[in-house]
Amino acid sequence: MKNPNRSVFLKPILLVLLIHGALSAHAQLSASMPFRPERSDTSLILNDIKEAVDYAVPPVSSIFEDDDDNSLQKTIALNLSKSQERKQLMSYLKQLELNNTIAENEKNSKALYRFANLFARLKLYPLAMKCFFKSIDRANKKAKQSGEAAEADDYTPEALPINAKDDSLLNLQARQVAKNQKSKYTNYRRIAATFNDHKPTVAYALLFHVKQPVSGKPKVFVFSNTGHTFITLIKYNADSTYVSCSFGFYPKKEKILFATPWDPSSESQFKTDAGHQWDEVVGKFISKKSFEKILSLTKKYNDLEYHLSNNNCTDFCLQAASLAGLNISNTKASWPLGYGNNPGVTGQSLLNGKYHNTDQQPDADLFRSLNINAAEE
């Protein structure tokens, strides 16, 4: 028979032994783990996420902060076909677009203007003009607030946001430029159809390009090379898409001496110039009315005869520029048996800054870029 007094006596002893064992086990477990300061559960989660993100996503600006234009242009060109790098480029441009302090705004505006030049040299004209717009957007808003109204016919876009759609459009445009190195035949109907996408439009732009016979020199010709002048028209849509067309007025050379000083007249044709080289370019945002007038001029020229002295590629482009409110002075020179507008002298005028707005837009709203090779020479 069990003794009840013994049971009562043993229970406290067993309880003490159990508590001692538990404490020893906890001490051993703690000694085997690395020390970690106490933090709340929320703090642990947020810090762990931040560390993972910082490791997985490097700063997007890292490969696009090169101070050398030649090097940065090569970097951009090499990364246009790579999805991840292209997205990083768009993210970087988006960061430059954001307005913060006055000092940052000025720094970002200069960076955007620099990228506008780089994209123009890569023949990515819609993105080039979008970056240029971002660099002058604040100045335009300030002018509006001070009461400096633009011409009623001139339309200034409220915004041209840089967003994810630029990624796919940039990739498509880069591939099209690469395929179109040689100018191919086109006509007014094809040019007009490019812009007939039935989408609401927020802005239009024109670029005036010149390829001189000798880059940076006012020479009218070198042997049979007389240079070339062409334009680019851009239509920016409300859904952040855009369409563009680069084209020029050419002679249709059916005989060896056609469109030469010895036989200056020829049938004409338009050719696509998306892949054409250039030395100087000047551009601006234009009104819908001006854009439609330039298309009407293109329709008119579709049936005109080419003439080396008075109806050549430079004549067509100068008329288009005039309809856009852009004047370029000192564009004529003589050559054997002829005299008139030509790419050599016109390009030199752009190089020397002999151009201005004829509408109420300030000259600061004119975009100018020089080809790197021309600038170096």
Side-chain angles (χ1 to χ4, degrees):
M1 185 174 178
K2 294 182 180 179
N3 188 343
N5 292 330
R6 177 194 272 181
S7 177
V8 171
F9 176 76
L10 289 175
K11 283 182 178 179
I13 295 173
L14 291 172
L15 183 60
V16 170
L17 291 172
L18 287 170
I19 293 172
H20 180 269
L23 289 173
S24 298
H26 179 73
Q28 292 174 3
L29 180 62
S30 298
S32 67
M33 296 180 65
F35 173 77
R36 196 172 191 177
E38 291 185 3
R39 295 182 291 176
S40 66
D41 291 343
T42 303
S43 176
L44 282 168
I45 293 170
L46 290 177
N47 283 332
D48 288 344
I49 291 174
K50 182 181 182 301
E51 290 172 4
V53 170
D54 288 346
Y55 178 78
V57 183
V60 296
S61 61
S62 57
I63 63 173
F64 301 114
E65 289 187 338
D66 196 330
D67 291 333
D68 181 75
D69 278 359
N70 285 285
S71 177
L72 182 56
Q73 182 172 323
K74 290 177 182 177
T75 298
I76 295 173
L78 289 172
N79 286 287
L80 288 175
S81 61
K82 303 173 184 176
S83 177
Q84 186 60 37
E85 284 79 357
R86 201 168 55 246
K87 288 177 181 177
Q88 287 187 358
L89 175 59
M90 292 301 104
S91 296
Y92 182 62
L93 295 177
K94 187 67 178 177
Q95 288 177 0
L96 295 178
E97 183 184 16
L98 299 176
N99 291 329
N100 298 305
T101 66
I102 294 175
E104 287 176 336
N105 281 336
E106 185 175 352
K107 178 182 176 182
N108 290 354
S109 292
K110 290 180 179 178
L112 285 166
Y113 192 92
R114 181 190 182 207
F115 273 92
N117 275 271
L118 293 172
F119 288 132
R121 290 166 186 160
L122 291 168
K123 306 180 184 70
L124 304 173
Y125 305 123
L127 187 57
M129 289 303 288
K130 183 180 280 194
C131 287
F132 172 65
F133 173 76
K134 292 300 175 183
S135 73
I136 62 171
D137 187 30
R138 291 182 72 256
N140 285 339
K141 289 178 180 177
K142 186 176 180 181
K144 284 183 179 181
Q145 292 171 356
S146 65
E148 297 177 13
E151 234 177 64
D153 183 41
D154 288 329
Y155 179 75
T156 303
E158 292 298 325
L160 293 175
I162 296 171
N163 54 39
K165 288 189 178 180
D166 286 301
D167 178 23
S168 58
L169 289 169
L170 181 61
N171 184 35
L172 177 63
Q173 190 182 0
R175 284 189 279 124
Q176 288 177 339
V177 168
K179 291 179 180 179
N180 196 26
Q181 290 297 323
K182 188 176 180 180
S183 298
K184 296 181 179 179
Y185 168 78
T186 188
N187 56 38
Y188 164 73
R189 288 188 181 86
R190 293 179 184 177
I191 294 168
T194 302
F195 304 102
N196 191 22
D197 57 5
H198 307 290
K199 291 184 178 181
T201 307
V202 295
Y204 299 92
L206 169 133
L207 290 97
F208 182 101
H209 313 257
V210 180
K211 178 63 181 142
Q212 296 174 283
V214 179
S215 298
K217 304 290 183 181
K219 288 191 175 182
V220 178
F221 65 93
V222 177
F223 298 108
S224 61
N225 178 17
T226 57
H228 183 52
T229 308
F230 63 98
I231 63 172
T232 295
L233 292 176
I234 309 170
K235 174 179 176 287
Y236 294 93
N237 297 321
D239 64 355
S240 292
T241 60
Y242 46 73
V243 289
S244 69
C245 185
S246 300
F247 59 98
F249 187 65
Y250 285 82
K252 187 182 290 185
K253 293 186 177 181
E254 297 178 354
K255 296 181 180 179
I256 295 176
L257 296 179
F258 269 15
T260 67
W262 295 269
D263 194 358
S265 296
S266 166
E267 290 186 38
S268 69
Q269 62 183 335
F270 281 110
K271 288 186 178 181
T272 59
D273 284 326
H276 204 291
Q277 299 296 326
W278 52 268
D279 295 313
E280 299 87 20
V281 66
V282 61
K284 64 179 291 184
F285 284 90
I286 63 176
S287 67
K288 179 181 180 180
K289 187 175 180 180
S290 294
F291 181 85
E292 291 174 342
K293 284 182 177 179
I294 294 170
L295 284 182
S296 296
L297 176 70
T298 305
K299 184 178 181 180
K300 174 185 174 182
Y301 261 76
N302 198 70
D303 299 318
L304 288 184
E305 185 180 65
Y306 182 96
H307 192 283
L308 188 62
S309 291
N310 53 45
N311 203 35
N312 58 38
C313 62
T314 306
D315 288 306
F316 166 73
C317 292
L318 286 172
Q319 287 194 52
S322 177
L323 294 173
L326 171 64
N327 176 262
I328 302 167
S329 59
N330 190 22
T331 58
K332 293 186 177 183
S334 61
W335 55 85
L337 305 178
Y339 173 83
N341 294 310
N342 62 89
V345 176
T346 301
Q348 202 67 19
S349 289
L350 294 185
L351 192 62
N352 295 330
K354 295 180 179 180
Y355 57 88
H356 66 278
N357 268 320
T358 58
D359 51 29
Q360 293 187 17
Q361 293 188 53
D363 285 348
D365 282 7
L366 290 173
F367 169 69
R368 187 187 77 155
S369 181
L370 302 177
N371 182 277
I372 281 183
N373 294 329
E376 288 177 343
E377 290 176 4

Short mmCIF file of all heavy atoms in Angstrom, two decimals, residues 278-319:
data_model
loop_
_atom_site.label_atom_id
_atom_site.label_comp_id
_atom_site.label_asym_id
_atom_site.label_seq_id
_atom_site.Cartn_x
_atom_site.Cartn_y
_atom_site.Cartn_z
N TRP A 278 23.39 62.14 -91.87
CA TRP A 278 23.28 63.60 -91.89
C TRP A 278 24.42 64.21 -91.07
O TRP A 278 25.03 63.54 -90.24
CB TRP A 278 21.93 64.06 -91.36
CG TRP A 278 21.55 63.50 -90.02
CD1 TRP A 278 20.83 62.36 -89.77
CD2 TRP A 278 21.89 64.04 -88.73
NE1 TRP A 278 20.71 62.15 -88.42
CE2 TRP A 278 21.36 63.17 -87.76
CE3 TRP A 278 22.60 65.16 -88.31
CZ2 TRP A 278 21.51 63.40 -86.39
CZ3 TRP A 278 22.76 65.39 -86.93
CH2 TRP A 278 22.20 64.52 -86.00
N ASP A 279 24.66 65.49 -91.32
CA ASP A 279 25.70 66.23 -90.58
C ASP A 279 25.10 67.22 -89.60
O ASP A 279 25.63 67.42 -88.51
CB ASP A 279 26.61 66.98 -91.55
CG ASP A 279 27.39 66.03 -92.45
OD1 ASP A 279 27.97 65.06 -91.92
OD2 ASP A 279 27.44 66.28 -93.67
N GLU A 280 24.02 67.89 -90.00
CA GLU A 280 23.36 68.87 -89.14
C GLU A 280 21.85 68.65 -89.17
O GLU A 280 21.30 68.24 -90.20
CB GLU A 280 23.64 70.31 -89.59
CG GLU A 280 25.11 70.72 -89.59
CD GLU A 280 25.81 70.35 -90.89
OE1 GLU A 280 25.11 70.15 -91.90
OE2 GLU A 280 27.06 70.27 -90.89
N VAL A 281 21.20 68.92 -88.06
CA VAL A 281 19.74 68.84 -88.02
C VAL A 281 19.20 69.92 -87.09
O VAL A 281 19.84 70.26 -86.08
CB VAL A 281 19.26 67.44 -87.55
CG1 VAL A 281 19.66 67.17 -86.11
CG2 VAL A 281 17.75 67.29 -87.70
N VAL A 282 18.08 70.49 -87.47
CA VAL A 282 17.36 71.42 -86.60
C VAL A 282 15.90 71.00 -86.60
O VAL A 282 15.37 70.57 -87.64
CB VAL A 282 17.53 72.90 -87.06
CG1 VAL A 282 16.97 73.10 -88.45
CG2 VAL A 282 16.89 73.86 -86.08
N GLY A 283 15.25 71.05 -85.45
CA GLY A 283 13.86 70.58 -85.36
C GLY A 283 13.03 71.42 -84.40
O GLY A 283 13.57 72.21 -83.62
N LYS A 284 11.72 71.24 -84.48
CA LYS A 284 10.81 71.97 -83.60
C LYS A 284 9.45 71.28 -83.56
O LYS A 284 9.11 70.49 -84.44
CB LYS A 284 10.64 73.41 -84.08
CG LYS A 284 9.99 73.53 -85.47
CD LYS A 284 9.84 75.01 -85.89
CE LYS A 284 8.80 75.74 -85.05
NZ LYS A 284 8.56 77.11 -85.50
N PHE A 285 8.68 71.60 -82.53
CA PHE A 285 7.29 71.16 -82.48
C PHE A 285 6.45 72.15 -83.26
O PHE A 285 6.67 73.37 -83.19
CB PHE A 285 6.82 71.05 -81.02
CG PHE A 285 7.37 69.83 -80.33
CD1 PHE A 285 8.58 69.88 -79.66
CD2 PHE A 285 6.69 68.63 -80.39
CE1 PHE A 285 9.10 68.76 -79.05
CE2 PHE A 285 7.21 67.49 -79.79
CZ PHE A 285 8.42 67.55 -79.11
N ILE A 286 5.50 71.63 -84.01
CA ILE A 286 4.73 72.46 -84.92
C ILE A 286 3.24 72.25 -84.68
O ILE A 286 2.82 71.30 -84.01
CB ILE A 286 5.08 72.17 -86.40
CG1 ILE A 286 4.72 70.72 -86.75
CG2 ILE A 286 6.55 72.44 -86.65
CD1 ILE A 286 4.95 70.37 -88.22
N SER A 287 2.44 73.13 -85.26
CA SER A 287 0.99 73.04 -85.11
C SER A 287 0.40 72.01 -86.08
O SER A 287 1.05 71.60 -87.06
CB SER A 287 0.34 74.39 -85.38
OG SER A 287 0.51 74.74 -86.75
N LYS A 288 -0.81 71.61 -85.82
CA LYS A 288 -1.53 70.69 -86.72
C LYS A 288 -1.69 71.33 -88.10
O LYS A 288 -1.54 70.67 -89.13
CB LYS A 288 -2.89 70.35 -86.15
CG LYS A 288 -3.71 69.41 -87.03
CD LYS A 288 -5.08 69.11 -86.42
CE LYS A 288 -5.88 68.18 -87.33
NZ LYS A 288 -7.22 67.88 -86.76
N LYS A 289 -1.97 72.64 -88.11
CA LYS A 289 -2.15 73.35 -89.37
C LYS A 289 -0.87 73.32 -90.20
O LYS A 289 -0.90 73.09 -91.41
CB LYS A 289 -2.57 74.80 -89.09
CG LYS A 289 -2.95 75.59 -90.32
CD LYS A 289 -3.46 76.98 -89.93
CE LYS A 289 -3.85 77.77 -91.17
NZ LYS A 289 -4.36 79.14 -90.79
N SER A 290 0.27 73.56 -89.55
CA SER A 290 1.55 73.52 -90.26
C SER A 290 1.84 72.12 -90.77
O SER A 290 2.34 71.94 -91.89
CB SER A 290 2.68 73.98 -89.33
OG SER A 290 2.53 75.34 -89.00
N PHE A 291 1.54 71.11 -89.95
CA PHE A 291 1.76 69.72 -90.34
C PHE A 291 0.96 69.39 -91.60
O PHE A 291 1.48 68.78 -92.54
CB PHE A 291 1.34 68.81 -89.18
CG PHE A 291 1.54 67.34 -89.44
CD1 PHE A 291 2.76 66.73 -89.21
CD2 PHE A 291 0.50 66.55 -89.90
CE1 PHE A 291 2.95 65.38 -89.46
CE2 PHE A 291 0.66 65.21 -90.15
CZ PHE A 291 1.90 64.61 -89.92
N GLU A 292 -0.30 69.81 -91.63
CA GLU A 292 -1.15 69.52 -92.79
C GLU A 292 -0.68 70.28 -94.03
O GLU A 292 -0.76 69.77 -95.15
CB GLU A 292 -2.60 69.86 -92.45
CG GLU A 292 -3.21 68.91 -91.42
CD GLU A 292 -4.60 69.33 -90.98
OE1 GLU A 292 -4.96 70.51 -91.20
OE2 GLU A 292 -5.32 68.48 -90.41
N LYS A 293 -0.15 71.50 -93.83
CA LYS A 293 0.38 72.26 -94.96
C LYS A 293 1.60 71.58 -95.56
O LYS A 293 1.80 71.58 -96.78
CB LYS A 293 0.75 73.68 -94.51
CG LYS A 293 -0.45 74.61 -94.31
CD LYS A 293 0.02 76.00 -93.91
CE LYS A 293 -1.16 76.96 -93.78
NZ LYS A 293 -0.70 78.32 -93.36
N ILE A 294 2.42 71.00 -94.71
CA ILE A 294 3.62 70.29 -95.20
C ILE A 294 3.22 69.05 -95.98
O ILE A 294 3.82 68.73 -97.02
CB ILE A 294 4.55 69.94 -94.03
CG1 ILE A 294 5.11 71.22 -93.41
CG2 ILE A 294 5.70 69.05 -94.49
CD1 ILE A 294 5.84 71.02 -92.10
N LEU A 295 2.19 68.34 -95.53
CA LEU A 295 1.70 67.19 -96.28
C LEU A 295 1.13 67.63 -97.63
O LEU A 295 1.31 66.95 -98.65
CB LEU A 295 0.64 66.43 -95.49
CG LEU A 295 1.14 65.56 -94.33
CD1 LEU A 295 -0.02 64.83 -93.67
CD2 LEU A 295 2.18 64.55 -94.81
N SER A 296 0.45 68.79 -97.65
CA SER A 296 -0.07 69.31 -98.92
C SER A 296 1.07 69.69 -99.86
O SER A 296 0.99 69.47 -101.08
CB SER A 296 -0.95 70.54 -98.66
OG SER A 296 -2.09 70.18 -97.91
N LEU A 297 2.14 70.25 -99.31
CA LEU A 297 3.31 70.56 -100.12
C LEU A 297 3.92 69.28 -100.70
O LEU A 297 4.33 69.26 -101.87
CB LEU A 297 4.35 71.28 -99.25
CG LEU A 297 5.69 71.60 -99.93
CD1 LEU A 297 5.50 72.71 -100.98
CD2 LEU A 297 6.74 72.01 -98.91
N THR A 298 3.93 68.23 -99.91
CA THR A 298 4.45 66.94 -100.38
C THR A 298 3.60 66.41 -101.53
O THR A 298 4.14 65.89 -102.52
CB THR A 298 4.47 65.92 -99.23
OG1 THR A 298 5.21 66.46 -98.13
CG2 THR A 298 5.08 64.60 -99.66
N LYS A 299 2.31 66.58 -101.41
CA LYS A 299 1.41 66.15 -102.50
C LYS A 299 1.69 66.93 -103.77
O LYS A 299 1.72 66.37 -104.88
CB LYS A 299 -0.04 66.34 -102.07
CG LYS A 299 -1.05 65.84 -103.09
CD LYS A 299 -2.48 66.02 -102.58
CE LYS A 299 -3.48 65.50 -103.60
NZ LYS A 299 -4.88 65.67 -103.11
N LYS A 300 1.93 68.23 -103.62
CA LYS A 300 2.23 69.08 -104.77
C LYS A 300 3.54 68.65 -105.43
O LYS A 300 3.64 68.53 -106.66
CB LYS A 300 2.32 70.54 -104.31
CG LYS A 300 2.78 71.51 -105.38
CD LYS A 300 2.94 72.91 -104.80
CE LYS A 300 3.55 73.86 -105.83
NZ LYS A 300 3.77 75.22 -105.26
N TYR A 301 4.56 68.39 -104.62
CA TYR A 301 5.88 68.02 -105.15
C TYR A 301 5.89 66.62 -105.75
O TYR A 301 6.80 66.28 -106.51
CB TYR A 301 6.94 68.12 -104.04
CG TYR A 301 7.74 69.40 -104.10
CD1 TYR A 301 7.20 70.60 -103.67
CD2 TYR A 301 9.03 69.41 -104.62
CE1 TYR A 301 7.91 71.78 -103.72
CE2 TYR A 301 9.76 70.59 -104.68
CZ TYR A 301 9.20 71.77 -104.24
OH TYR A 301 9.91 72.95 -104.32
N ASN A 302 4.91 65.82 -105.42
CA ASN A 302 4.84 64.46 -105.94
C ASN A 302 4.76 64.44 -107.47
O ASN A 302 5.16 63.47 -108.11
CB ASN A 302 3.64 63.73 -105.34
CG ASN A 302 3.74 62.23 -105.47
OD1 ASN A 302 4.56 61.59 -104.82
ND2 ASN A 302 2.90 61.65 -106.32
N ASP A 303 4.23 65.55 -108.04
CA ASP A 303 4.06 65.62 -109.49
C ASP A 303 4.95 66.67 -110.16
O ASP A 303 4.81 66.93 -111.35
CB ASP A 303 2.59 65.94 -109.82
CG ASP A 303 1.64 64.87 -109.30
OD1 ASP A 303 1.97 63.68 -109.44
OD2 ASP A 303 0.58 65.21 -108.74
N LEU A 304 5.86 67.28 -109.38
CA LEU A 304 6.71 68.32 -109.95
C LEU A 304 8.00 67.74 -110.53
O LEU A 304 8.49 66.71 -110.10
CB LEU A 304 7.07 69.36 -108.88
CG LEU A 304 5.96 70.30 -108.43
CD1 LEU A 304 6.52 71.32 -107.44
CD2 LEU A 304 5.32 71.03 -109.61
N GLU A 305 8.54 68.46 -111.50
CA GLU A 305 9.80 68.07 -112.10
C GLU A 305 10.96 68.50 -111.20
O GLU A 305 10.93 69.57 -110.59
CB GLU A 305 9.94 68.72 -113.48
CG GLU A 305 11.17 68.29 -114.24
CD GLU A 305 11.25 68.97 -115.61
OE1 GLU A 305 11.40 70.22 -115.64
OE2 GLU A 305 11.14 68.27 -116.64
N TYR A 306 11.96 67.66 -111.11
CA TYR A 306 13.17 68.01 -110.35
C TYR A 306 14.06 68.88 -111.24
O TYR A 306 14.24 68.62 -112.43
CB TYR A 306 13.92 66.73 -109.98
CG TYR A 306 15.17 66.96 -109.14
CD1 TYR A 306 15.13 66.86 -107.76
CD2 TYR A 306 16.38 67.27 -109.76
CE1 TYR A 306 16.27 67.06 -106.99
CE2 TYR A 306 17.53 67.48 -109.01
CZ TYR A 306 17.46 67.37 -107.62
OH TYR A 306 18.59 67.58 -106.87
N HIS A 307 14.63 69.95 -110.63
CA HIS A 307 15.58 70.79 -111.36
C HIS A 307 16.71 71.15 -110.40
O HIS A 307 16.47 71.62 -109.28
CB HIS A 307 14.90 72.06 -111.89
CG HIS A 307 15.75 72.81 -112.87
ND1 HIS A 307 16.82 73.60 -112.50
CD2 HIS A 307 15.69 72.90 -114.24
CE1 HIS A 307 17.39 74.13 -113.56
NE2 HIS A 307 16.72 73.73 -114.63
N LEU A 308 17.93 70.95 -110.84
CA LEU A 308 19.09 71.11 -109.98
C LEU A 308 19.21 72.53 -109.42
O LEU A 308 19.66 72.71 -108.28
CB LEU A 308 20.36 70.76 -110.77
CG LEU A 308 21.66 70.68 -109.97
CD1 LEU A 308 21.59 69.58 -108.91
CD2 LEU A 308 22.85 70.43 -110.90
N SER A 309 18.80 73.54 -110.19
CA SER A 309 19.00 74.93 -109.77
C SER A 309 17.83 75.53 -109.01
O SER A 309 18.02 76.42 -108.17
CB SER A 309 19.31 75.81 -110.99
OG SER A 309 20.57 75.48 -111.52
N ASN A 310 16.61 75.11 -109.31
CA ASN A 310 15.48 75.80 -108.69
C ASN A 310 14.38 74.90 -108.13
O ASN A 310 13.34 75.39 -107.69
CB ASN A 310 14.86 76.82 -109.67
CG ASN A 310 14.51 76.18 -111.00
OD1 ASN A 310 13.93 75.10 -111.05
ND2 ASN A 310 14.88 76.85 -112.10
N ASN A 311 14.57 73.59 -108.15
CA ASN A 311 13.56 72.71 -107.57
C ASN A 311 14.21 71.38 -107.15
O ASN A 311 13.85 70.33 -107.63
CB ASN A 311 12.43 72.46 -108.58
CG ASN A 311 11.14 72.06 -107.88
OD1 ASN A 311 10.84 72.54 -106.79
ND2 ASN A 311 10.38 71.17 -108.49
N ASN A 312 15.16 71.51 -106.24
CA ASN A 312 15.91 70.34 -105.81
C ASN A 312 15.51 69.90 -104.39
O ASN A 312 14.54 70.43 -103.83
CB ASN A 312 17.42 70.61 -105.89
CG ASN A 312 17.84 71.80 -105.05
OD1 ASN A 312 17.34 72.02 -103.96
ND2 ASN A 312 18.78 72.60 -105.56
N CYS A 313 16.25 68.99 -103.80
CA CYS A 313 15.90 68.46 -102.48
C CYS A 313 15.90 69.56 -101.41
O CYS A 313 15.04 69.59 -100.52
CB CYS A 313 16.84 67.34 -102.08
SG CYS A 313 18.59 67.82 -101.93
N THR A 314 16.86 70.48 -101.51
CA THR A 314 16.94 71.55 -100.51
C THR A 314 15.80 72.54 -100.68
O THR A 314 15.26 73.06 -99.69
CB THR A 314 18.31 72.28 -100.63
OG1 THR A 314 19.36 71.30 -100.53
CG2 THR A 314 18.47 73.30 -99.53
N ASP A 315 15.40 72.82 -101.94
CA ASP A 315 14.26 73.71 -102.18
C ASP A 315 13.00 73.16 -101.50
O ASP A 315 12.26 73.90 -100.84
CB ASP A 315 14.01 73.85 -103.68
CG ASP A 315 15.08 74.69 -104.37
OD1 ASP A 315 15.32 75.81 -103.92
OD2 ASP A 315 15.68 74.19 -105.33
N PHE A 316 12.74 71.86 -101.69
CA PHE A 316 11.56 71.26 -101.06
C PHE A 316 11.60 71.38 -99.55
O PHE A 316 10.63 71.80 -98.91
CB PHE A 316 11.45 69.78 -101.45
CG PHE A 316 10.48 69.00 -100.60
CD1 PHE A 316 9.11 69.19 -100.75
CD2 PHE A 316 10.94 68.10 -99.64
CE1 PHE A 316 8.21 68.48 -99.95
CE2 PHE A 316 10.05 67.40 -98.84
CZ PHE A 316 8.69 67.59 -99.00
N CYS A 317 12.73 71.05 -98.95
CA CYS A 317 12.84 71.07 -97.49
C CYS A 317 12.78 72.47 -96.91
O CYS A 317 12.21 72.69 -95.82
CB CYS A 317 14.12 70.37 -97.06
SG CYS A 317 14.13 68.60 -97.38
N LEU A 318 13.34 73.46 -97.63
CA LEU A 318 13.27 74.84 -97.15
C LEU A 318 11.83 75.35 -97.17
O LEU A 318 11.41 76.10 -96.27
CB LEU A 318 14.16 75.74 -98.01
CG LEU A 318 15.67 75.61 -97.78
CD1 LEU A 318 16.44 76.41 -98.82
CD2 LEU A 318 16.04 76.09 -96.37
N GLN A 319 11.06 74.93 -98.17
CA GLN A 319 9.64 75.31 -98.20
C GLN A 319 8.89 74.66 -97.04
O GLN A 319 8.04 75.29 -96.40
CB GLN A 319 9.02 74.91 -99.54
CG GLN A 319 9.44 75.78 -100.70
CD GLN A 319 8.57 75.57 -101.93
OE1 GLN A 319 7.34 75.65 -101.87
NE2 GLN A 319 9.21 75.29 -103.06
#
